[in-house]
Amino acid sequence: MRFQQSCRMAVWLVIAPLLLGGCSILREFGPVVEVHTLDAGEAIELKRGDILTRGKLSDATTQTIRVAALDAQACAKPISADCVEALAAVTGVAADRRLAALSELWLAQAQAMKPGSEQQAAWLETIRYAYAYLFFGDHTPGERAFEDRQTQVRDWYNYAVERAATGMFEVRQQMSTQLSAQTRWNIAGWELQLDMRSARLPGSTAVPAELLPASSLSFRGLRSLYRRDGFGAELVAVMPDEPLTSAPTRDGHPAAKRNQQPLPWSEMPAPSMTILLHPDGDDLDSVLHTRTVRLTVHDPYVESAIMLRGQRVPLAANFTAGYGLWLARANFNRQSLRSLLGREGGIDRPHVYLMQPYDPNRRIIVMLHGLASSPEAWVELANEILGDEALRQHYQIWQVYYPTNMPIALNHAMIRRALGDTLAHFDPSGQAPASSDLVLVGHSMGGVIARLMVSSTDQSLVQLAADRSRLTPQQIKRIDPMLRFEPFPHVSRAIFIAAPHRGTSVAGGRLGRWMAGFIRFPVTVLEELAHTLAPNAAASSHESLGHIPNSVDNLDENDPFVRAAADFPISAQVNYHSIVAQANAEEALVDSDDGLVPYRSSHLPGAQSEKVIISGHSVQQSAVAILEIQRILKEDMTQREEQLTPR
């Protein structure tokens, strides 16, 4: 027995090292494959986590490295040029897997580098391999439409383009003016070709003052951020912009003549754009060896997709970032108060802001804010229209920013002129679709002005001016065009929001009179009025103008101007709508108000629709009002398309 036991032990001593050395089962004393249950978050993170979202390589890239017989730990280091070179030289691994992994590895390298030419080269290598994967890999983008891996690679491409483009812009800003105007230049050992044929920047300056990634901007004060998923980097080009203030003076006296005034319009100085970088080459091998890249700039309002390598590719876009950045930097809140009080730093005449580069084929929505307000009044409405694809394709927004201390009649006349001059500039022939079927949207006092724009008057305002002023018949004749008018051409629809068409008792009450007492007109305005009334008089003749009613005076329900204007007939060619705010839902509608404007003043007989919303006076910002305006615009859009469709 002892002998047998000894023999067995000897046999085991001989074969055990062989078994333990060649069999993992005996070595581990467990199964080769083990299974673990993941919760939903862990499963999605495993599929979608990558160098951008979690700071380490994606699971798919790590698997590719292992399949290629490379050291996964070494490749995971921030900078591993040997790993990149080795993986690029590997054969036997599917092109899609290899190209995607190389794009992420270069991205990891770029993130670990300091800004400079080496980092720029790494961004361009990231772009090269992502571009090669998307358009020259084993499958087309359409075939991979539902793959998480394609979404990852697209995100790497977009991010690398964003970083490369902003880095190139910073380098270009440091160049001389002559060099920065070129369309070909070298950077990081690559030749860059600049192509801006698909985009137009506002103003006369060809180069932005700043180029900001939209992804780096976060906004407070906006309910929604509207963007479109797709290909390319979403950027905001911040253009040089002169602050809009009172007219310049000369020798201490305001420049009253019109030809000395700045343009009455400008395009929003922070347009959104989409940028692509295209490595040169018509096949995989040429793309992987090129040192030439083409940068193209696209207007997301004009182009929603492009044809690229035989594929229809949707363009990424951000429709909120530029608008939000403009509002955040414009300081409208302080300036509008200065304008109301007639203080230095305010404005003394209306200005038309185009929210996007002029498009002759999109209809124009003209927005008019209310008392002591500015384009900030439309922050939510404009953002929702810009973010709605159907509305964005059919409309463009023009916002009128005007000094709200002026008499309503004067503001109305100047706004008409500013809009007319703007339309004449962009469409001299008046034949473009944008110049017809305008839509006016006015809140509060802006609603009163919008109503005047679609109305016609008779002798009543002229007679009123003659009765209430010390003006001579000759002077009355000079201001006759301001007091006698017809509906503004080509307006087909108007939306009045909490508009005091018949005034309000608040303006004539103690608070209104107290507020009106602080209002002053800028000297520029007084000089221009004096020049209009007496062209040959001395510059100081404005002192003899006497009392001129301001905007708060005009909004008093007992003011003769607002009482006369309330009865002016609205053009039969204009469909109009009312949005009325009611502060107290328990109160009878006919006796209610919004805290400032009574229902009897905001109600208009003959309106196509009247929407009553439980809200205070700033109802234009409410989600319910915005939905109602969107409904009206889409209904209007549908009706117009039906009229244009041949039967």
Side-chain angles (χ1 to χ4, degrees):
M1 178 67 73
R2 289 182 178 178
F3 176 76
Q4 291 177 342
Q5 291 176 343
S6 297
C7 288
R8 291 191 188 100
M9 182 62 71
V11 172
W12 275 107
L13 290 173
V14 172
I15 67 173
L18 299 174
L19 293 172
L20 293 174
C23 181
S24 62
I25 296 177
L26 293 177
R27 183 172 65 246
E28 299 294 342
F29 293 101
V32 175
V33 178
E34 295 181 358
V35 62
H36 299 280
T37 301
L38 304 176
D39 61 29
E42 292 172 327
I44 292 175
E45 196 277 336
L46 186 64
K47 289 193 301 180
R48 301 179 186 173
D50 60 19
I51 193 66
L52 289 180
T53 61
R54 63 181 182 181
K56 61 181 181 178
L57 296 176
S58 64
D59 189 60
T61 293
T62 302
Q63 291 177 25
T64 301
I65 292 170
R66 289 172 180 162
V67 170
L70 300 175
D71 186 341
Q73 290 185 343
C75 288
K77 293 180 180 179
I79 300 179
S80 180
D82 293 340
C83 179
V84 171
E85 292 178 7
L87 184 57
V90 164
T91 59
V93 177
D96 274 3
R97 295 189 68 175
R98 187 165 54 88
L99 295 171
L102 283 165
S103 180
E104 187 173 16
L105 286 169
W106 274 111
L107 179 58
Q109 288 199 38
Q111 287 183 309
M113 292 176 176
K114 294 181 179 180
S117 60
E118 290 187 3
Q119 187 188 51
Q120 281 294 98
W123 293 129
L124 291 170
E125 292 294 347
T126 304
I127 293 164
R128 178 207 300 278
Y129 284 103
Y131 193 88
Y133 165 88
L134 291 168
F135 301 106
F136 297 98
D138 296 324
H139 302 88
T140 66
E143 291 171 334
R144 303 193 210 96
F146 295 101
E147 292 184 11
D148 291 331
R149 191 59 164 170
Q150 177 161 273
T151 301
Q152 285 181 322
V153 177
R154 183 208 65 192
D155 289 344
W156 302 336
Y157 172 89
N158 290 353
Y159 181 73
V161 171
E162 174 187 295
R163 304 310 303 170
T166 52
M168 292 173 185
F169 174 78
E170 291 173 1
V171 171
R172 186 169 178 174
Q173 288 291 83
Q174 298 170 4
M175 297 178 177
S176 66
T177 304
Q178 181 178 0
L179 185 59
S180 64
Q182 296 178 358
T183 58
R184 287 176 178 264
W185 39 294
N186 293 318
I187 186 167
W190 289 66
E191 180 185 343
L192 174 69
Q193 301 174 359
L194 180 61
D195 182 353
M196 293 191 62
R197 289 175 296 177
S198 297
R200 183 183 64 79
L201 295 174
S204 58
T205 305
V207 180
E210 298 177 78
L211 189 64
L212 302 177
S215 62
S216 68
L217 303 175
S218 177
F219 300 99
R220 184 173 58 188
L222 282 167
R223 282 197 288 263
S224 302
L225 177 67
Y226 287 103
R227 54 176 306 278
R228 179 175 61 218
D229 284 333
F231 193 55
E234 304 158 27
L235 299 171
V236 177
V238 183
M239 306 303 296
D241 184 43
E242 292 294 329
L244 186 63
T245 57
S246 300
T249 61
R250 184 179 57 202
D251 299 329
H253 296 289
K257 294 184 179 180
R258 196 172 160 222
N259 60 8
Q260 296 175 330
Q261 300 300 336
L263 291 173
W265 57 268
S266 61
E267 294 169 295
M268 188 180 70
S272 297
M273 59 173 54
T274 303
I275 289 182
L276 305 181
L277 280 166
H278 311 259
D280 195 19
D282 295 323
D283 54 42
L284 179 59
D285 185 65
S286 60
V287 168
L288 294 182
H289 292 89
T290 188
R291 303 294 289 179
T292 302
V293 63
R294 183 166 55 95
L295 186 151
T296 59
V297 183
H298 304 266
D299 184 344
Y301 290 98
V302 176
E303 294 179 284
S304 60
I306 60 170
M307 292 302 297
L308 194 57
R309 305 297 175 184
Q311 305 286 322
R312 187 178 185 276
V313 180
L315 285 176
N318 192 307
F319 301 105
T320 298
Y323 178 55
L325 182 67
W326 173 59
L327 287 179
R329 292 184 172 185
N331 291 319
F332 283 130
N333 55 342
R334 294 182 179 181
Q335 190 178 55
S336 60
L337 182 59
R338 290 179 177 274
S339 298
L340 176 66
L341 301 178
R343 299 295 187 262
E344 183 180 357
I347 61 173
D348 60 3
R349 65 198 60 249
H351 190 82
V352 181
Y353 280 110
L354 282 64
M355 295 295 97
Q356 64 194 72
Y358 172 75
D359 187 333
N361 297 312
R362 284 183 170 92
R363 296 172 59 196
I364 297 170
I365 301 173
V366 179
M367 295 182 176
L368 296 157
H369 59 76
L371 182 70
S373 191
S374 70
E376 288 184 326
W378 304 114
V379 54
E380 297 293 355
L381 175 60
N383 187 44
E384 293 296 325
I385 293 175
L386 294 173
D388 187 298
E389 184 175 0
L391 295 178
R392 187 174 63 244
Q393 290 177 352
H394 287 83
Y395 296 100
Q396 57 191 316
I397 299 174
W398 291 10
Q399 294 195 26
V400 178
Y401 181 33
Y402 64 97
T404 60
N405 57 346
M406 304 294 184
I408 291 178
L410 178 58
N411 254 328
H412 167 238
M414 291 196 298
I415 288 172
R416 277 180 174 250
R417 187 172 67 186
L419 279 173
D421 290 348
T422 306
L423 286 167
H425 171 82
F426 287 102
D427 182 23
S429 68
Q431 300 302 309
S435 297
S436 60
D437 292 320
L438 275 66
V439 178
L440 301 183
V441 182
H443 171 249
S444 191
M445 188 170 73
V448 175
I449 295 174
R451 187 189 186 286
L452 292 175
M453 292 190 66
V454 296
S455 303
S456 55
T457 184
D458 48 21
Q459 287 281 357
S460 56
L461 293 184
V462 177
Q463 187 62 46
L464 181 64
D467 294 342
R468 299 189 67 197
S469 67
R470 294 176 294 177
L471 301 179
T472 66
Q474 292 77 12
Q475 291 173 325
I476 293 292
K477 185 177 180 180
R478 291 191 183 100
I479 64 172
D480 185 89
M482 183 191 307
L483 303 178
R484 197 196 328 254
F485 46 83
E486 295 296 325
F488 192 79
H490 310 305
V491 176
S492 63
R493 195 168 297 267
I495 304 173
F496 309 119
I497 309 171
H501 300 293
R502 297 187 177 276
T504 170
S505 61
V506 175
R510 180 177 301 175
L511 177 62
R513 292 195 302 271
W514 177 81
M515 182 178 176
F518 287 96
I519 294 177
R520 298 290 184 273
F521 298 136
V523 175
T524 52
V525 173
L526 295 173
E527 288 286 353
E528 189 164 352
L529 281 174
H531 179 81
T532 300
L533 294 173
N536 300 319
S540 60
S541 61
H542 67 267
E543 298 174 0
S544 62
L545 290 176
H547 173 70
I548 302 175
N550 58 47
S551 55
V552 176
D553 295 329
N554 285 157
L555 291 176
D556 181 358
E557 63 182 1
N558 295 314
D559 182 72
F561 171 82
V562 76
R563 295 180 67 176
D567 294 325
F568 294 159
I570 297 177
S571 169
Q573 306 303 314
V574 176
N575 295 307
Y576 58 94
H577 307 258
S578 294
I579 295 178
V580 177
Q582 183 179 5
N584 185 356
E586 303 299 323
E587 194 173 8
L589 179 61
V590 294
D591 299 322
S592 67
D593 58 48
D594 60 19
L596 291 176
V597 179
Y599 173 78
R600 66 178 182 274
S601 183
S602 57
H603 169 73
L604 276 181
Q608 294 286 310
S609 65
E610 179 179 273
K611 179 75 172 180
V612 179
I613 299 173
I614 305 304
S615 169
H617 184 60
S618 296
V619 64
Q620 85 284 358
Q621 297 280 41
S622 73
V624 179
I626 292 171
L627 287 173
E628 173 66 4
I629 294 168
Q630 288 177 306
R631 180 197 69 78
I632 294 170
L633 293 174
K634 288 180 179 179
E635 181 181 275
D636 181 65
M637 182 177 69
T638 301
Q639 291 176 0
R640 187 169 183 270
E641 287 178 345
E642 290 175 350
Q643 293 172 357
L644 296 176
T645 301
R647 297 182 180 178

